[in-house]
Amino acid sequence: MSKNVNYNLGGRVKTLRENRGWSQEKLATKVGVTTAYLGDIERNTRNPTFHVITHIAQAFCMSLTEFFDEQILPSSDDLEFIDREIIQELSTFTDPMDKKSILKIILLIKSLQSTPDKKELE
């Protein structure tokens, strides 16, 4: 008995990309492909290699298992997704001065969060 497996890879990529508010250009840059190639993948007119699929899953901070599980569709307010995205973006900074500036910004945000708003006290 053979099973008919029809997976809409392009639709999955497009849904995940749009769910994050990313342009094709942003995802293509993260994956290392052209926007034209990514567009072909999303329209299911091109079959990406395993290597490209792996990079697509990594761009979404997902394992291949998560990527192919259509039930897993993290939204932009999913805390684990946000944590992974922050870490991924922070890892791109290599200059020590940039890292110090980012730390100052984080500490400033934390201090603002711990200060009660006057309206909350009323």
Side-chain angles (χ1 to χ4, degrees):
M1 220 154 75
S2 80
K3 216 182 213 183
N4 183 10
V5 179
N6 187 8
Y7 186 81
N8 182 1
L9 178 73
R12 176 72 168 155
V13 172
K14 185 175 181 178
T15 299
L16 289 168
R17 177 181 62 76
E18 289 178 343
N19 193 46
R20 285 164 176 74
W22 294 352
S23 65
Q24 281 186 337
E25 183 177 16
K26 180 172 182 170
L27 179 56
T29 300
K30 287 178 173 281
V31 174
V33 297
T34 66
T35 53
Y37 185 75
L38 182 64
D40 288 344
I41 293 170
E42 288 187 356
R43 288 186 298 280
N44 290 312
T45 59
R46 203 102 188 240
N47 292 319
T49 63
F50 179 77
H51 179 76
V52 171
I53 293 170
T54 301
H55 282 281
I56 291 170
Q58 289 172 346
F60 292 127
C61 299
M62 301 173 100
S63 69
L64 286 173
T65 303
E66 292 171 320
F67 178 74
F68 285 104
D69 183 351
E70 291 191 28
Q71 299 303 311
I72 300 174
L73 189 60
S75 63
S76 58
D77 58 358
D78 176 3
L79 293 179
E80 282 186 38
F81 165 73
I82 293 170
D83 289 346
R84 289 189 302 244
E85 190 72 8
I86 289 169
I87 291 167
Q88 184 177 352
E89 291 299 323
L90 288 175
S91 70
T92 64
F93 291 94
T94 56
D95 184 89
M97 292 305 292
D98 288 341
K99 289 181 179 187
K100 286 180 183 179
S101 298
I102 291 168
L103 179 59
K104 286 179 184 177
I105 292 167
I106 291 169
L107 293 173
L108 175 63
I109 292 169
K110 284 177 79 172
S111 72
L112 292 173
Q113 288 178 334
S114 63
T115 306
D117 189 23
K118 288 182 183 178
K119 290 181 182 178
E120 289 178 5
L121 296 175
E122 295 174 350

